[in-house]
Amino acid sequence: MSDLHIRSAALPDIDAVLAFWGEAAEGTSISDDRDGVARLITRDPDALILAERDGRLVGSVIAGFDGWRCHLYRLAVHPEHRRQGIGSALLTAAEERFVALGGRRGDAMVLERNETGRHAWRAAGYAPEEQWRRWVKHLTT
């Protein structure tokens, strides 16, 4: 894995990230647009973590910390590069970031229908907490 480069995203990466998510991520989000990703990078420049191999984007994770909780979103690995340790490397980088910020527990947003993702999260030591449900209210239309 020495050819894998893990780094924080920057504003010039936005188009590549959005295209990558279109190929590799399960589902979409209301924030999957240039403005949403730009806000993330501007507000917290180290939250969007990318994995590159041979200059090509092959993985991503958002490691957001609000000062209270550590939240993981958009863990995605390009289908051609799965099962090569990229997801694990991204989660290690995210968890190291959380620990450095004083975080104590990470939680992940995982689509219920994403069977592949659920297996990957379990393999990384995460487990669902059935007593919790996500409640959502869209603030914009």
Side-chain angles (χ1 to χ4, degrees):
M1 289 270 291
S2 62
D3 62 336
L4 189 67
H5 178 65
I6 304 291
R7 67 174 179 86
S8 299
L11 292 174
D13 295 313
I14 292 174
D15 290 331
V17 167
L18 290 169
F20 171 76
W21 286 345
E23 288 182 74
E26 292 287 331
T28 58
S29 166
I30 193 170
S31 301
D32 286 359
D33 58 30
R34 288 188 57 72
D35 289 341
V37 178
R39 267 191 306 279
L40 171 65
I41 293 170
T42 301
R43 183 183 179 286
D44 188 348
D46 295 322
L48 177 51
I49 302 170
L50 305 179
E52 295 177 323
R53 179 172 279 153
D54 298 323
R56 180 178 177 210
L57 181 57
V58 295
S60 73
V61 68
I62 297 173
F65 182 64
D66 60 15
W68 183 259
R69 297 266 166 85
C70 306
H71 304 286
L72 294 158
Y73 310 90
R74 283 293 187 215
L75 176 63
V77 175
H78 192 280
E80 295 173 9
H81 295 268
R82 290 181 181 158
R83 303 194 56 81
Q84 298 175 27
I86 296 168
S88 294
L90 285 163
L91 285 177
T92 295
E95 291 166 358
E96 288 172 354
R97 168 180 156 75
F98 291 152
V99 169
L101 292 170
R104 297 179 181 178
R105 176 180 66 182
D107 66 54
M109 295 295 299
V110 183
L111 288 171
E112 189 63 30
R113 70 175 187 263
N114 184 354
E115 194 68 30
T116 302
R118 289 175 33 203
H119 288 294
W121 284 104
R122 280 190 198 281
Y126 290 78
E129 290 188 335
E130 297 300 329
Q131 71 271 24
W132 296 99
R133 292 289 179 255
R134 181 177 180 208
W135 292 39
V136 176
K137 176 183 177 183
H138 291 272
L139 301 176
T140 60
T141 56

